[in-house]
Amino acid sequence: MKPIEVISGAVSHLDRADVDTDQIMPKQFLKRIERSGFGRYLFYDWAQEPGWDLPANPILVTGPNFGCGSSREHAPWGLQDYGFEAIVAPSFADIFYTNCTKIGLLPVVLEERHCRALAAAGEGQVDLRAQEVRYRDPAGQLVAVPFTIDAEVRRRLLEGLDDIALTLSEHASEIDAYERARADRQPPLPCTSAL
Amino acid sequence: MAKTMFEKIWEAHAIGEGAHGGLLYIDLHLIHEVTSPQAFEGLRLAGRSVRRPEHTLATADHNVPTDGTAAAAQIKEELSRVQVQTLERNCSEFGIPIYSLGSSRQGIVHVIGPELGVTQPGMTIVCGDSHTSTHGAFGALAFGIGTSEVEHVLATQTLPARKPETMVIRYVGELGYGVSAKDLVLGTIGQIGVDGAVGHVVEYAGQAIASLSMEGRMTVCNMTIEAGGRAGMIAPDQTTFSWFTETRRPGAPAELERAIERWAQLPSDPGARFDREVTVDASALAPQVTWGTTPGMVAPVTGRVPSPTELEGPVDPSTAQRALEYMALEPGTPIAEIELQRVFIGSCTNSRIGDLREAAEVVAGKRVAKGVRAMVVPGSAQVKAQAEAEGLDRIFRDAGFEWRGAGCSMCLGMNPDTLAPGERCASTSNRNFEGRQGRGGRTHLVSPRMAAAAAIAGHFVDIRDWEVA
């Protein structure tokens, strides 16, 4: 995963609430067995509506509960492949938020008024190390709004760490020990290969 | 200290709580063809193996045709065929048991886990599918994950995890006549909103829950994700235990009585503290019908399509306006006057034998209305066989329903079962999102009995007024 530090540039605005992952990446594209190339299918049905305009900028600002519904990681894959590097919204659906952090697409939770101000500014910076979003207000003053993110998630994104490699290198013996202790204290788990 | 059921299960599976965050051990990993291919490819690229194939189980469900196609190689559509065959090949390569198309145990992943008895109280269960919350009906901690996490579980049998918040939804009163588990959960989402449970593991409690069958409990937990909840749970009790004692299930514990003694320790202790508490009056709920494009846009069947400007509750007016335009509905229209062209009885929400029995009772001796195409898609090959043994297929066919093979089918329309643009459907599934059942299709979520009655009448009817033949 590519390390994330500061994401700067123009902002795209999708001013809708409760955008579900069926809209972000419609089902017909979930039949692909590849991980790349999903950008061209992003918002496939909505993109055919008159007036649709969502340029591939580094920052996407959108409405509350973004990414609700299906757990399909194809949705974050598509957003990232399209060109977005950070998504700023008042709130996110849980699975979607986690999926984004796993692929280095930065989800940022900001109050709705700050989301709208960032969208109005048209460009800004998302600074993961400083944990703040910066943009200019209508008077040209620089505004810096802090955001919160889980410390461990932030560390992994800053350093571009791979979760699986980390678990295997740092926790392998703990997992072994857990399985041994558990086998001693309770009956075996259902064995799917012996049904 | 008094603990919630969630805390008991979490603590029994937590590994390490160091500075870098802990892990959660996963007891059962269910996989299917759509969200797993890239995870297996990741394992191959890194030269990794599957840590616990014997605690992993695969089936083909999302993408399979329901027309009787007996094997993956016979799937007509190329992309679907390749995806199911890729699952079969991956399972063979990594030693994972699989029930693919043609197996007598194939079916929707959230139907077969409980059916086989591998879904058990106290377990941690994950699957690359948001409706994994279904398994919480047994008093398990079960939640959906993305493909990166699928790969992580395959490789390590764990997930990096931070403890979520807890929430209890307490129901007061009992459900009225004709009001089902589906109505209970739709009514709840209507009250708390589609993001009402975000960040929380939800425990459902109260007499209305205790009175539900396991199938009804699965329906409720299944739709937890539609309120944004991380997982839904119901305390195991005699109803839960009977699931294992009254039917032989191949995955059930060898020493069932001892297992039941342990399971009986799982319910939340008296006085256990939840981060949030919500109360819902179950007795006030009528049969529910969604009118919009989120499961929270819902009204009683006795009601009318609302005006966006006069909405009460958590739905945003501009979102509602857009939804009504998509659904081609006028505010003020009585719900019971909405006419339908399609009816779908199926999905991981409502495709179990109990659901089919309820629907069959409604349609017995009647005919599907002119201009309506209605289909029943059993949740699994075993549900299908059971229904046929009981003669339910005959009742549906005689009434003019299509009787299909098992799979996710028109819940998400990845297979050929889809709505045409503009078609309006009464569906027992879980999502009425734009285009969910087919581009331009219009979905109304209802219970199996309500869907069955709508198929006969050609429009929604209050099932409480229905006369059984």
Side-chain angles (χ1 to χ4, degrees):
Chain A
M1 206 163 71
K2 212 174 80 183
I4 299 174
E5 195 67 42
V6 181
I7 295 162
S8 314
V11 174
S12 296
H13 192 200
L14 177 60
D15 189 10
R16 293 184 190 180
D18 303 321
V19 173
D20 59 77
T21 52
D22 273 78
Q23 308 315 316
I24 301 173
M25 190 54 59
K27 59 188 153 269
Q28 63 267 36
F29 308 113
L30 273 48
K31 297 180 184 184
R32 302 175 75 243
I33 58 173
E34 299 83 12
R35 197 170 188 137
S36 56
F38 282 93
R40 77 187 77 153
Y41 310 121
L42 189 72
F43 294 112
Y44 190 80
D45 290 345
W46 284 0
Q48 295 173 51
E49 290 177 4
W52 176 262
D53 181 32
L54 196 73
N57 289 318
I59 300 169
L60 172 65
V61 173
T62 184
N65 199 29
F66 188 71
C68 60
S70 159
S71 65
R72 58 189 72 171
E73 198 167 302
H74 312 66
W77 294 340
L79 289 159
Q80 190 176 52
D81 188 53
Y82 186 74
F84 296 124
E85 298 170 46
I87 305 176
V88 183
S91 62
F92 291 89
D94 292 328
I95 304 176
F96 177 85
Y97 184 98
T98 301
N99 286 346
C100 287
T101 65
K102 300 295 177 188
I103 64 166
L105 175 62
L106 180 61
V108 176
V109 178
L110 284 192
E111 274 181 56
E112 184 158 349
R113 62 192 173 102
H114 294 304
C115 289
R116 291 194 176 281
L118 170 63
E123 58 178 33
Q125 288 188 323
V126 179
D127 188 332
L128 179 58
R129 192 167 296 282
Q131 281 185 241
E132 63 179 32
V133 174
R134 294 183 289 268
Y135 57 87
R136 293 198 178 274
D137 69 12
Q141 290 293 312
L142 192 68
V143 181
V145 186
F147 67 89
T148 56
I149 185 168
D150 180 275
E152 179 59 16
V153 170
R154 175 173 168 273
R155 179 180 82 96
R156 293 180 186 204
L157 288 168
L158 281 171
E159 298 179 28
L161 299 174
D162 169 46
D163 268 4
I164 300 178
L166 218 57
T167 297
L168 291 173
S169 65
E170 294 184 3
H171 300 285
S173 59
E174 283 176 290
I175 301 171
D176 289 340
Y178 175 86
E179 286 180 337
R180 279 196 304 273
R182 187 185 163 111
D184 289 343
R185 71 168 187 262
Q186 72 175 61
L189 290 167
C191 182
T192 52
S193 48
L195 297 181
Chain B
M1 202 182 89
K3 288 178 182 168
T4 63
M5 175 165 55
F6 161 74
E7 286 164 336
K8 294 178 192 182
I9 299 175
W10 183 274
E11 288 169 11
H13 293 83
I15 302 176
E17 281 288 352
H20 292 169
L23 297 171
L24 188 71
Y25 192 80
I26 303 303
D27 293 338
L28 177 65
H29 185 194
L30 301 166
I31 60 176
H32 62 86
E33 74 276 23
V34 174
T35 57
S36 66
Q38 295 86 353
F40 283 111
E41 186 61 18
L43 290 184
R44 262 193 294 271
L45 289 172
R48 292 172 180 142
S49 58
V50 174
R51 183 182 176 93
R52 292 288 168 204
E54 75 278 20
H55 297 152
T56 312
L57 183 63
T59 191
D61 57 2
H62 279 63
N63 208 345
V64 299
T66 57
D67 58 1
T69 302
Q74 294 168 16
I75 298 175
K76 289 185 198 77
E77 216 225 350
E78 188 188 354
L79 286 176
S80 299
R81 183 175 65 245
V82 168
Q83 198 169 52
V84 177
Q85 288 182 315
T86 300
L87 178 70
E88 292 180 351
R89 210 168 38 245
N90 285 330
C91 287
S92 161
E93 180 182 337
F94 290 93
I96 294 169
I98 175 171
Y99 301 123
S100 191
L101 199 57
S103 164
S104 64
R105 287 174 170 175
Q106 176 265 340
I108 304 176
V109 66
H110 310 309
V111 175
I112 71 165
E115 185 173 82
L116 293 166
V118 294
T119 294
Q120 293 173 13
M123 290 173 67
T124 48
I125 301 172
V126 297
C127 175
D129 188 281
S130 60
H131 291 111
T132 308
S133 56
T134 309
H135 306 262
F138 288 82
L141 175 61
F143 53 92
I145 56 178
T147 298
S148 294
E149 289 184 300
V150 168
E151 186 178 339
H152 195 284
V153 177
L154 288 171
T156 72
Q157 204 58 28
T158 66
L159 276 176
R162 284 263 189 251
K163 204 168 169 180
E165 306 269 281
T166 57
M167 171 172 173
V168 62
I169 300 180
R170 287 188 207 287
Y171 293 95
V172 296
E174 289 267 19
L175 290 173
Y177 168 77
V179 186
S180 71
K182 183 67 161 286
D183 304 306
L184 182 73
V185 69
L186 282 173
T188 302
I189 298 167
Q191 291 182 29
I192 69 173
V194 290
D195 58 358
V198 167
H200 291 75
V201 168
V202 179
E203 181 173 337
Y204 299 94
Q207 192 52 46
I209 294 292
S211 301
L212 290 176
S213 66
M214 283 318 299
E215 294 174 333
R217 294 177 188 188
M218 284 188 257
T219 300
V220 171
C221 288
N222 172 275
M223 290 197 66
T224 305
I225 186 67
E226 310 313 332
R230 197 74 189 88
M233 308 175 89
I234 291 172
D237 60 8
Q238 198 51 52
T239 303
T240 322
F241 308 149
S242 299
W243 180 265
F244 295 90
T245 56
E246 289 181 5
T247 306
R248 204 197 80 79
R249 302 194 183 274
E255 297 182 50
L256 190 51
E257 280 179 25
R258 278 190 52 209
I260 289 173
E261 281 172 28
R262 283 192 303 116
W263 295 344
Q265 308 302 312
L266 286 168
S268 296
D269 299 326
R273 208 190 65 80
F274 293 85
D275 296 304
R276 270 180 72 196
E277 295 210 15
V278 171
T279 302
V280 173
D281 184 355
S283 64
L285 292 171
Q288 305 282 309
V289 180
T290 64
W291 49 265
T293 54
T294 74
M297 298 178 180
V298 65
V301 65
T302 49
R304 292 169 184 269
V305 174
S307 162
T309 52
E310 295 164 6
L311 272 174
E312 290 171 16
V315 177
D316 165 65
S318 70
T319 311
Q321 181 59 43
R322 192 185 148 79
L324 287 182
E325 286 166 18
Y326 179 85
M327 295 295 288
L329 289 173
E330 284 297 322
T333 307
I335 296 286
E337 286 181 14
I338 298 173
E339 295 186 351
L340 304 148
Q341 291 84 47
R342 301 287 295 271
V343 171
F344 171 65
I345 297 178
S347 88
C348 58
T349 313
N350 283 125
S351 65
R352 298 177 181 82
I353 190 68
D355 299 314
L356 303 194
R357 285 178 190 145
E358 287 180 2
E361 193 179 282
V362 170
V363 308
K366 298 186 164 68
R367 285 291 301 173
V368 169
K370 198 163 175 291
V372 175
R373 183 180 163 197
M375 62 201 300
V376 182
V377 181
S380 70
Q382 289 200 45
V383 168
K384 184 167 193 265
Q386 174 71 27
E388 288 171 356
E390 295 179 19
L392 304 184
D393 61 321
R394 186 47 55 202
I395 292 173
F396 285 117
R397 284 180 204 268
D398 287 350
F401 280 80
E402 295 171 32
W403 178 251
R404 316 283 298 192
C408 298
S409 178
M410 212 164 70
C411 175
L412 82 168
M414 275 191 77
N415 74 349
D417 307 338
T418 55
L419 295 182
E423 277 190 321
R424 192 180 291 286
C425 180
S427 178
T428 66
S429 56
N430 40 58
R431 290 189 174 132
N432 49 345
F433 296 157
E434 286 182 36
R436 170 82 175 177
Q437 297 190 292
R439 183 154 188 257
R442 297 166 180 144
T443 303
H444 297 270
L445 304 176
V446 288
S447 72
R449 275 190 291 236
M450 286 284 288
I456 304 300
H459 56 83
F460 290 114
V461 288
D462 189 339
I463 193 64
R464 296 172 295 186
D465 301 332
W466 194 256
E467 286 183 21
V468 175

